[in-house]
Amino acid sequence: MVQKAERVAAPQITGRNPNGRQGRPVGNVTRGTTNPNRMRRLDRWLTGPQAWRLRSAPNPLVVDLGYGATPATAVELFERLSAIRPDVQVCGIEIEPERVRAALPLQRPGLSFQVGGFEIPVPGRPVLVRAFNVLRQYEEADVAGIWRLVQDRLSGDGLFIDGTCDEIGRRVTWVALDAHRPLSLSFSVRFGSFAMPSEIAERLPKALIHRNVPGEPVHALMQAMDRAWLESAPLASFGNRQRWQSMCRLLRDAGWPVQDGPARWRLGELTVDWEAVAPRS
């Protein structure tokens, strides 16, 4: 049963964790809506510019946190990461026991499922934690505490990805955090799925979705993307891929701290430093 989201307190370390404590997992049961291939754009980023984290990890442990009503995306994550690190260990964690029971028949060497929440009850420290369309269902005031709870479980080069996407993965956004701070905000879109880039604002992560208002940095970015998109209209006859790359180049030239380059832009991606979009208060 899906509950109305309750406030989540960071000190609420419950469930079985590496210290052996027991209790209720941290978090609430969410809707669990998912679809096959919904996370492909994020997974492409994890196996691209972030692949070094997995390749260099002494313990290639990855957590798919809140994988949903069906384990399809967790299975896909395992298969995609296995191409980068054959000995990867992917653990799908869900707070709803019935979802875990339904996933158990799909377990195999390197892929497991268990009950848990934001405390991440696995032995060792994960190098990657993916939580997609999970924090969106919580209160904005809870985000910082949840981030900290997960960050405290990461390995030294670990990365926590808090993201949101539409039902079939055409519009995707995510915040990447290391063990100490948020690092970046990324967008990935399917060309032809939007008229203006700012339409992706409806899929911003919870930390930013209510901040797309005048005076907030993320709103300024949305406006700058639209202006650059319109300025790049003469390239539309060559296709949206060329137009998107022009938009990204114009943003970078205007001083936005764009982290990536044409090899990622042509995929419909754009990543900027977190400091450029962080909420003002």
Side-chain angles (χ1 to χ4, degrees):
M1 179 182 298
V2 178
Q3 310 172 42
K4 184 180 186 300
E6 301 173 356
R7 296 301 305 278
V8 176
Q12 182 192 357
I13 306 297
T14 55
R16 179 168 294 280
N17 60 42
N19 296 321
R21 298 167 64 183
Q22 300 184 50
R24 187 172 70 85
V26 178
N28 304 294
V29 179
T30 56
R31 290 188 295 274
T33 305
T34 189
N35 279 304
N37 224 21
R38 191 180 186 189
M39 311 302 177
R40 64 192 181 277
R41 293 184 175 276
L42 169 66
D43 293 351
R44 183 171 60 186
W45 186 74
L46 294 177
T47 56
Q50 302 303 317
W52 67 270
R53 298 180 188 272
L54 194 59
R55 290 192 179 106
S56 63
N59 178 26
L61 174 62
V62 176
V63 169
D64 191 13
L65 181 59
Y67 57 82
T70 65
T73 56
V75 174
E76 292 167 353
L77 180 64
F78 169 68
E79 293 172 346
R80 289 162 181 163
L81 296 185
S82 293
I84 301 298
R85 184 75 186 257
D87 60 340
V88 68
Q89 298 290 316
V90 175
C91 181
I93 293 180
E94 251 298 335
I95 201 167
E96 170 52 61
E98 186 54 43
R99 295 173 184 172
V100 175
R101 282 192 288 271
L104 291 179
L106 295 175
Q107 289 192 142
R108 66 192 78 167
L111 177 64
S112 61
F113 299 92
Q114 70 179 77
V115 175
F118 294 115
E119 78 284 0
I120 309 183
V122 296
R125 294 184 174 274
V127 65
L128 295 173
V129 177
R130 181 181 76 177
F132 242 68
N133 303 303
V134 177
L135 275 74
R136 184 179 177 88
Q137 301 178 52
Y138 286 79
E139 297 291 335
E140 182 183 357
D142 289 336
V143 170
I146 292 172
W147 279 1
R148 187 72 263 159
L149 195 56
V150 177
Q151 288 173 280
D152 286 346
R153 294 287 291 114
L154 294 174
S155 65
D157 286 328
L159 199 67
F160 172 38
I161 304 97
D162 168 18
T164 305
C165 65
D166 68 0
E167 288 72 18
I168 57 176
R170 297 170 302 178
R171 303 178 182 181
V172 188
T173 72
W174 63 87
V175 177
L177 309 93
D178 65 12
H180 307 290
R181 62 187 179 88
L183 301 176
S184 60
L185 171 69
S186 296
F187 306 95
S188 183
V189 295
R190 178 180 177 181
F191 296 124
S193 69
F194 62 92
M196 296 292 284
S198 62
E199 292 172 21
I200 202 172
E202 67 181 15
R203 297 294 171 176
L204 284 169
K206 191 66 177 188
L208 295 173
I209 194 166
H210 302 300
R211 303 299 182 132
N212 186 30
V213 294
E216 287 285 347
V218 72
H219 181 266
L221 176 59
M222 295 289 103
Q223 297 299 302
M225 290 171 68
D226 281 354
R227 287 193 301 271
W229 181 254
L230 292 173
E231 188 174 342
S232 301
L235 291 173
S237 59
F238 297 100
N240 283 329
R241 178 171 283 108
Q242 294 298 321
R243 189 176 179 182
W244 181 270
Q245 290 182 84
S246 174
M247 179 200 75
C248 295
R249 190 172 294 107
L250 289 170
L251 288 170
R252 184 186 61 190
D253 293 347
W256 287 96
V258 176
Q259 290 190 3
D260 46 22
R264 305 308 301 181
W265 300 343
R266 68 182 307 276
L267 301 174
E269 286 183 15
L270 171 65
T271 298
V272 299
D273 292 353
W274 174 255
E275 286 78 6
V277 294
R280 290 196 181 278
S281 60

PDB file of all heavy atoms in Angstrom, residues 237-257:
ATOM      1  N   SER A 237      17.277  23.320 -39.666  1.00  0.00           N
ATOM      2  CA  SER A 237      17.184  22.575 -40.926  1.00  0.00           C
ATOM      3  C   SER A 237      18.193  21.431 -40.985  1.00  0.00           C
ATOM      4  O   SER A 237      18.037  20.497 -41.782  1.00  0.00           O
ATOM      5  CB  SER A 237      17.393  23.519 -42.106  1.00  0.00           C
ATOM      6  OG  SER A 237      18.667  24.146 -42.028  1.00  0.00           O
ATOM      7  N   PHE A 238      19.230  21.477 -40.129  1.00  0.00           N
ATOM      8  CA  PHE A 238      20.216  20.402 -40.065  1.00  0.00           C
ATOM      9  C   PHE A 238      19.851  19.361 -39.003  1.00  0.00           C
ATOM     10  O   PHE A 238      20.577  18.375 -38.834  1.00  0.00           O
ATOM     11  CB  PHE A 238      21.602  20.980 -39.765  1.00  0.00           C
ATOM     12  CG  PHE A 238      22.105  21.900 -40.834  1.00  0.00           C
ATOM     13  CD1 PHE A 238      22.019  23.272 -40.666  1.00  0.00           C
ATOM     14  CD2 PHE A 238      22.632  21.404 -42.017  1.00  0.00           C
ATOM     15  CE1 PHE A 238      22.479  24.133 -41.647  1.00  0.00           C
ATOM     16  CE2 PHE A 238      23.089  22.260 -43.003  1.00  0.00           C
ATOM     17  CZ  PHE A 238      23.008  23.634 -42.828  1.00  0.00           C
ATOM     18  N   GLY A 239      18.768  19.612 -38.277  1.00  0.00           N
ATOM     19  CA  GLY A 239      18.318  18.671 -37.261  1.00  0.00           C
ATOM     20  C   GLY A 239      18.468  19.217 -35.858  1.00  0.00           C
ATOM     21  O   GLY A 239      19.290  20.114 -35.592  1.00  0.00           O
ATOM     22  N   ASN A 240      17.675  18.672 -34.949  1.00  0.00           N
ATOM     23  CA  ASN A 240      17.698  19.139 -33.562  1.00  0.00           C
ATOM     24  C   ASN A 240      19.012  18.841 -32.851  1.00  0.00           C
ATOM     25  O   ASN A 240      19.376  19.539 -31.897  1.00  0.00           O
ATOM     26  CB  ASN A 240      16.533  18.521 -32.782  1.00  0.00           C
ATOM     27  CG  ASN A 240      15.210  19.188 -33.098  1.00  0.00           C
ATOM     28  OD1 ASN A 240      15.180  20.373 -33.401  1.00  0.00           O
ATOM     29  ND2 ASN A 240      14.129  18.430 -33.026  1.00  0.00           N
ATOM     30  N   ARG A 241      19.728  17.816 -33.313  1.00  0.00           N
ATOM     31  CA  ARG A 241      21.014  17.521 -32.675  1.00  0.00           C
ATOM     32  C   ARG A 241      21.986  18.690 -32.862  1.00  0.00           C
ATOM     33  O   ARG A 241      22.671  19.109 -31.916  1.00  0.00           O
ATOM     34  CB  ARG A 241      21.599  16.235 -33.242  1.00  0.00           C
ATOM     35  CG  ARG A 241      22.970  15.887 -32.671  1.00  0.00           C
ATOM     36  CD  ARG A 241      23.449  14.506 -33.076  1.00  0.00           C
ATOM     37  NE  ARG A 241      22.767  13.482 -32.284  1.00  0.00           N
ATOM     38  CZ  ARG A 241      21.839  12.660 -32.765  1.00  0.00           C
ATOM     39  NH1 ARG A 241      21.487  12.744 -34.039  1.00  0.00           N
ATOM     40  NH2 ARG A 241      21.267  11.758 -31.998  1.00  0.00           N
ATOM     41  N   GLN A 242      22.045  19.221 -34.075  1.00  0.00           N
ATOM     42  CA  GLN A 242      22.924  20.356 -34.332  1.00  0.00           C
ATOM     43  C   GLN A 242      22.455  21.593 -33.574  1.00  0.00           C
ATOM     44  O   GLN A 242      23.268  22.364 -33.050  1.00  0.00           O
ATOM     45  CB  GLN A 242      22.965  20.649 -35.838  1.00  0.00           C
ATOM     46  CG  GLN A 242      23.600  19.551 -36.660  1.00  0.00           C
ATOM     47  CD  GLN A 242      25.054  19.319 -36.289  1.00  0.00           C
ATOM     48  OE1 GLN A 242      25.788  20.269 -36.020  1.00  0.00           O
ATOM     49  NE2 GLN A 242      25.478  18.068 -36.273  1.00  0.00           N
ATOM     50  N   ARG A 243      21.154  21.751 -33.493  1.00  0.00           N
ATOM     51  CA  ARG A 243      20.618  22.916 -32.783  1.00  0.00           C
ATOM     52  C   ARG A 243      20.917  22.830 -31.286  1.00  0.00           C
ATOM     53  O   ARG A 243      21.275  23.836 -30.655  1.00  0.00           O
ATOM     54  CB  ARG A 243      19.111  23.014 -33.035  1.00  0.00           C
ATOM     55  CG  ARG A 243      18.485  24.309 -32.525  1.00  0.00           C
ATOM     56  CD  ARG A 243      17.023  24.379 -32.891  1.00  0.00           C
ATOM     57  NE  ARG A 243      16.415  25.611 -32.389  1.00  0.00           N
ATOM     58  CZ  ARG A 243      15.108  25.909 -32.534  1.00  0.00           C
ATOM     59  NH1 ARG A 243      14.305  25.087 -33.182  1.00  0.00           N
ATOM     60  NH2 ARG A 243      14.649  27.048 -32.021  1.00  0.00           N
ATOM     61  N   TRP A 244      20.786  21.646 -30.706  1.00  0.00           N
ATOM     62  CA  TRP A 244      21.081  21.460 -29.277  1.00  0.00           C
ATOM     63  C   TRP A 244      22.559  21.722 -28.994  1.00  0.00           C
ATOM     64  O   TRP A 244      22.909  22.375 -28.001  1.00  0.00           O
ATOM     65  CB  TRP A 244      20.698  20.037 -28.859  1.00  0.00           C
ATOM     66  CG  TRP A 244      20.931  19.728 -27.410  1.00  0.00           C
ATOM     67  CD1 TRP A 244      22.068  19.212 -26.853  1.00  0.00           C
ATOM     68  CD2 TRP A 244      20.017  19.930 -26.324  1.00  0.00           C
ATOM     69  NE1 TRP A 244      21.912  19.050 -25.502  1.00  0.00           N
ATOM     70  CE2 TRP A 244      20.660  19.483 -25.147  1.00  0.00           C
ATOM     71  CE3 TRP A 244      18.710  20.411 -26.248  1.00  0.00           C
ATOM     72  CZ2 TRP A 244      20.039  19.521 -23.899  1.00  0.00           C
ATOM     73  CZ3 TRP A 244      18.088  20.448 -24.994  1.00  0.00           C
ATOM     74  CH2 TRP A 244      18.761  20.015 -23.838  1.00  0.00           C
ATOM     75  N   GLN A 245      23.425  21.229 -29.859  1.00  0.00           N
ATOM     76  CA  GLN A 245      24.852  21.469 -29.657  1.00  0.00           C
ATOM     77  C   GLN A 245      25.170  22.961 -29.717  1.00  0.00           C
ATOM     78  O   GLN A 245      25.997  23.460 -28.950  1.00  0.00           O
ATOM     79  CB  GLN A 245      25.656  20.712 -30.711  1.00  0.00           C
ATOM     80  CG  GLN A 245      25.621  19.204 -30.517  1.00  0.00           C
ATOM     81  CD  GLN A 245      26.472  18.472 -31.535  1.00  0.00           C
ATOM     82  OE1 GLN A 245      27.684  18.334 -31.359  1.00  0.00           O
ATOM     83  NE2 GLN A 245      25.857  18.022 -32.624  1.00  0.00           N
ATOM     84  N   SER A 246      24.522  23.670 -30.616  1.00  0.00           N
ATOM     85  CA  SER A 246      24.709  25.120 -30.687  1.00  0.00           C
ATOM     86  C   SER A 246      24.223  25.792 -29.411  1.00  0.00           C
ATOM     87  O   SER A 246      24.878  26.688 -28.881  1.00  0.00           O
ATOM     88  CB  SER A 246      23.969  25.688 -31.902  1.00  0.00           C
ATOM     89  OG  SER A 246      24.013  27.093 -31.909  1.00  0.00           O
ATOM     90  N   MET A 247      23.073  25.346 -28.902  1.00  0.00           N
ATOM     91  CA  MET A 247      22.554  25.898 -27.658  1.00  0.00           C
ATOM     92  C   MET A 247      23.564  25.713 -26.522  1.00  0.00           C
ATOM     93  O   MET A 247      23.856  26.653 -25.766  1.00  0.00           O
ATOM     94  CB  MET A 247      21.233  25.204 -27.291  1.00  0.00           C
ATOM     95  CG  MET A 247      20.610  25.686 -25.984  1.00  0.00           C
ATOM     96  SD  MET A 247      19.411  24.505 -25.292  1.00  0.00           S
ATOM     97  CE  MET A 247      20.519  23.241 -24.626  1.00  0.00           C
ATOM     98  N   CYS A 248      24.120  24.519 -26.400  1.00  0.00           N
ATOM     99  CA  CYS A 248      25.089  24.248 -25.341  1.00  0.00           C
ATOM    100  C   CYS A 248      26.327  25.120 -25.486  1.00  0.00           C
ATOM    101  O   CYS A 248      26.860  25.651 -24.500  1.00  0.00           O
ATOM    102  CB  CYS A 248      25.486  22.775 -25.367  1.00  0.00           C
ATOM    103  SG  CYS A 248      24.139  21.630 -24.967  1.00  0.00           S
ATOM    104  N   ARG A 249      26.772  25.287 -26.702  1.00  0.00           N
ATOM    105  CA  ARG A 249      27.959  26.115 -26.947  1.00  0.00           C
ATOM    106  C   ARG A 249      27.695  27.570 -26.572  1.00  0.00           C
ATOM    107  O   ARG A 249      28.550  28.231 -25.966  1.00  0.00           O
ATOM    108  CB  ARG A 249      28.360  25.990 -28.419  1.00  0.00           C
ATOM    109  CG  ARG A 249      29.719  26.598 -28.752  1.00  0.00           C
ATOM    110  CD  ARG A 249      30.134  26.263 -30.162  1.00  0.00           C
ATOM    111  NE  ARG A 249      30.375  24.825 -30.326  1.00  0.00           N
ATOM    112  CZ  ARG A 249      29.574  23.996 -30.985  1.00  0.00           C
ATOM    113  NH1 ARG A 249      28.459  24.431 -31.539  1.00  0.00           N
ATOM    114  NH2 ARG A 249      29.868  22.716 -31.078  1.00  0.00           N
ATOM    115  N   LEU A 250      26.515  28.057 -26.917  1.00  0.00           N
ATOM    116  CA  LEU A 250      26.164  29.436 -26.568  1.00  0.00           C
ATOM    117  C   LEU A 250      26.086  29.622 -25.056  1.00  0.00           C
ATOM    118  O   LEU A 250      26.502  30.659 -24.527  1.00  0.00           O
ATOM    119  CB  LEU A 250      24.839  29.823 -27.232  1.00  0.00           C
ATOM    120  CG  LEU A 250      24.877  30.013 -28.748  1.00  0.00           C
ATOM    121  CD1 LEU A 250      23.467  30.153 -29.305  1.00  0.00           C
ATOM    122  CD2 LEU A 250      25.718  31.238 -29.112  1.00  0.00           C
ATOM    123  N   LEU A 251      25.547  28.629 -24.360  1.00  0.00           N
ATOM    124  CA  LEU A 251      25.489  28.715 -22.899  1.00  0.00           C
ATOM    125  C   LEU A 251      26.895  28.779 -22.303  1.00  0.00           C
ATOM    126  O   LEU A 251      27.176  29.597 -21.419  1.00  0.00           O
ATOM    127  CB  LEU A 251      24.735  27.506 -22.334  1.00  0.00           C
ATOM    128  CG  LEU A 251      23.227  27.464 -22.557  1.00  0.00           C
ATOM    129  CD1 LEU A 251      22.687  26.105 -22.146  1.00  0.00           C
ATOM    130  CD2 LEU A 251      22.525  28.572 -21.778  1.00  0.00           C
ATOM    131  N   ARG A 252      27.766  27.928 -22.792  1.00  0.00           N
ATOM    132  CA  ARG A 252      29.146  27.924 -22.295  1.00  0.00           C
ATOM    133  C   ARG A 252      29.821  29.269 -22.588  1.00  0.00           C
ATOM    134  O   ARG A 252      30.504  29.835 -21.721  1.00  0.00           O
ATOM    135  CB  ARG A 252      29.921  26.785 -22.943  1.00  0.00           C
ATOM    136  CG  ARG A 252      31.350  26.625 -22.420  1.00  0.00           C
ATOM    137  CD  ARG A 252      32.100  25.577 -23.207  1.00  0.00           C
ATOM    138  NE  ARG A 252      32.194  25.949 -24.623  1.00  0.00           N
ATOM    139  CZ  ARG A 252      32.626  25.141 -25.582  1.00  0.00           C
ATOM    140  NH1 ARG A 252      32.997  23.899 -25.275  1.00  0.00           N
ATOM    141  NH2 ARG A 252      32.697  25.540 -26.829  1.00  0.00           N
ATOM    142  N   ASP A 253      29.611  29.780 -23.796  1.00  0.00           N
ATOM    143  CA  ASP A 253      30.236  31.055 -24.158  1.00  0.00           C
ATOM    144  C   ASP A 253      29.682  32.219 -23.331  1.00  0.00           C
ATOM    145  O   ASP A 253      30.374  33.227 -23.129  1.00  0.00           O
ATOM    146  CB  ASP A 253      30.023  31.341 -25.650  1.00  0.00           C
ATOM    147  CG  ASP A 253      30.774  30.358 -26.537  1.00  0.00           C
ATOM    148  OD1 ASP A 253      31.645  29.627 -26.023  1.00  0.00           O
ATOM    149  OD2 ASP A 253      30.477  30.307 -27.753  1.00  0.00           O
ATOM    150  N   ALA A 254      28.440  32.059 -22.845  1.00  0.00           N
ATOM    151  CA  ALA A 254      27.826  33.111 -22.029  1.00  0.00           C
ATOM    152  C   ALA A 254      28.262  33.037 -20.573  1.00  0.00           C
ATOM    153  O   ALA A 254      27.838  33.868 -19.761  1.00  0.00           O
ATOM    154  CB  ALA A 254      26.306  33.012 -22.123  1.00  0.00           C
ATOM    155  N   GLY A 255      29.086  32.041 -20.223  1.00  0.00           N
ATOM    156  CA  GLY A 255      29.612  31.955 -18.868  1.00  0.00           C
ATOM    157  C   GLY A 255      28.993  30.881 -17.993  1.00  0.00           C
ATOM    158  O   GLY A 255      29.407  30.734 -16.833  1.00  0.00           O
ATOM    159  N   TRP A 256      28.033  30.141 -18.498  1.00  0.00           N
ATOM    160  CA  TRP A 256      27.481  29.043 -17.707  1.00  0.00           C
ATOM    161  C   TRP A 256      28.540  27.950 -17.582  1.00  0.00           C
ATOM    162  O   TRP A 256      29.182  27.591 -18.566  1.00  0.00           O
ATOM    163  CB  TRP A 256      26.203  28.491 -18.343  1.00  0.00           C
ATOM    164  CG  TRP A 256      25.047  29.417 -18.187  1.00  0.00           C
ATOM    165  CD1 TRP A 256      24.596  30.335 -19.084  1.00  0.00           C
ATOM    166  CD2 TRP A 256      24.202  29.532 -17.041  1.00  0.00           C
ATOM    167  NE1 TRP A 256      23.525  31.021 -18.575  1.00  0.00           N
ATOM    168  CE2 TRP A 256      23.251  30.550 -17.319  1.00  0.00           C
ATOM    169  CE3 TRP A 256      24.143  28.883 -15.808  1.00  0.00           C
ATOM    170  CZ2 TRP A 256      22.271  30.928 -16.404  1.00  0.00           C
ATOM    171  CZ3 TRP A 256      23.164  29.257 -14.894  1.00  0.00           C
ATOM    172  CH2 TRP A 256      22.241  30.264 -15.197  1.00  0.00           C
ATOM    173  N   PRO A 257      28.726  27.393 -16.384  1.00  0.00           N
ATOM    174  CA  PRO A 257      29.789  26.399 -16.165  1.00  0.00           C
ATOM    175  C   PRO A 257      29.385  25.017 -16.683  1.00  0.00           C
ATOM    176  O   PRO A 257      29.071  24.102 -15.917  1.00  0.00           O
ATOM    177  CB  PRO A 257      29.971  26.411 -14.645  1.00  0.00           C
ATOM    178  CG  PRO A 257      28.620  26.790 -14.119  1.00  0.00           C
ATOM    179  CD  PRO A 257      28.045  27.753 -15.120  1.00  0.00           C
TER     180      PRO A 257
END
